[in-house]
Amino acid sequence: MFEVLVYVYENYWRPDACPDARQLSRKLSAVGFESDEIQDALTWLDGLSSAAESYAGTQSAVGMRVYVAAETEHLGEGSIGFISFLESAGVLRPDMREIAIDRAMAIPGSPLALEDLKIIVLMVFWSLGEEPDALILDELFVDAEDRLIH
């Protein structure tokens, strides 16, 4: 499913540029994605759209997020740490954090892989029509072991 999401992000820079679900399904199938992956991704994207509508702009800019046991277990320490890092860097607003957590909780299996969470965060930016700055894109796309330190 995550390969489909990355494909959607790379080919449709904004949600309004993305075709409707039926047409997108056909395009993804023509590219070679399997129908199960496509259906999972489309269902997940529908949930992303709903979450973006319900959370966007509703959260206070100050406050502390307390994770319930189910979230802690599902997300895992690495993902929670990454979310905290993005928040403390001023990149992830509280409403975006809540959308990311909502969509992460919709992914089966736990703990959630950090690489999968990064794609989820990227899709949250995409769903709101926002582009993360270059340093955050680097953090979301480039593996730590592939980074060159100057």
Side-chain angles (χ1 to χ4, degrees), residues 7-74:
Y7 180 87
V8 168
Y9 178 83
E10 290 176 343
N11 288 279
Y12 303 102
W13 288 94
R14 295 181 329 260
D16 59 346
C18 194
D20 66 57
R22 203 167 123 228
Q23 185 177 12
L24 180 59
S25 178
R26 280 183 284 165
K27 287 184 179 207
L28 292 170
S29 183
V31 172
F33 291 109
E34 294 188 23
S35 60
D36 290 347
E37 280 186 302
I38 294 169
Q39 188 56 46
D40 289 346
L42 292 177
T43 301
W44 190 90
L45 284 168
D46 187 49
L48 177 62
S49 176
S50 296
E53 288 175 14
S54 65
Y55 283 111
T58 62
Q59 301 289 317
S60 168
V62 294
M64 182 176 88
R65 176 60 153 88
V66 177
Y67 293 87
V68 298
E71 292 171 334
T72 302
E73 181 181 326
H74 187 76

Side-chain angles (χ1 to χ4, degrees), residues 1-2 10 15 25 32 38 51 54 56 59 69 79 95 101 104 106 116 120 124 126 130 142 149-150:
M1 176 184 83
F2 287 101
E10 290 176 343
S25 178
I38 294 169
S54 65
Q59 301 289 317
S79 292
D95 60 330
I101 292 170
D116 293 344
I120 290 169
V124 168
W126 178 83
E130 298 181 22
V142 180
I149 299 176
H150 300 285

Side-chain angles (χ1 to χ4, degrees), residues 44-121:
W44 190 90
L45 284 168
D46 187 49
L48 177 62
S49 176
S50 296
E53 288 175 14
S54 65
Y55 283 111
T58 62
Q59 301 289 317
S60 168
V62 294
M64 182 176 88
R65 176 60 153 88
V66 177
Y67 293 87
V68 298
E71 292 171 334
T72 302
E73 181 181 326
H74 187 76
L75 296 172
E77 290 180 22
S79 292
I80 291 173
F82 187 70
I83 291 170
S84 296
F85 160 72
L86 292 176
E87 280 187 279
S88 67
V91 174
L92 200 63
R93 299 184 316 261
D95 60 330
M96 296 171 82
R97 175 198 63 218
E98 293 305 312
I99 296 168
I101 292 170
D102 176 81
R103 295 291 72 216
M105 294 300 289
I107 302 297
S110 54
L112 182 70
L114 182 57
E115 297 308 311
D116 293 344
L117 177 71
K118 289 179 178 183
I119 294 169
I120 290 169
V121 169

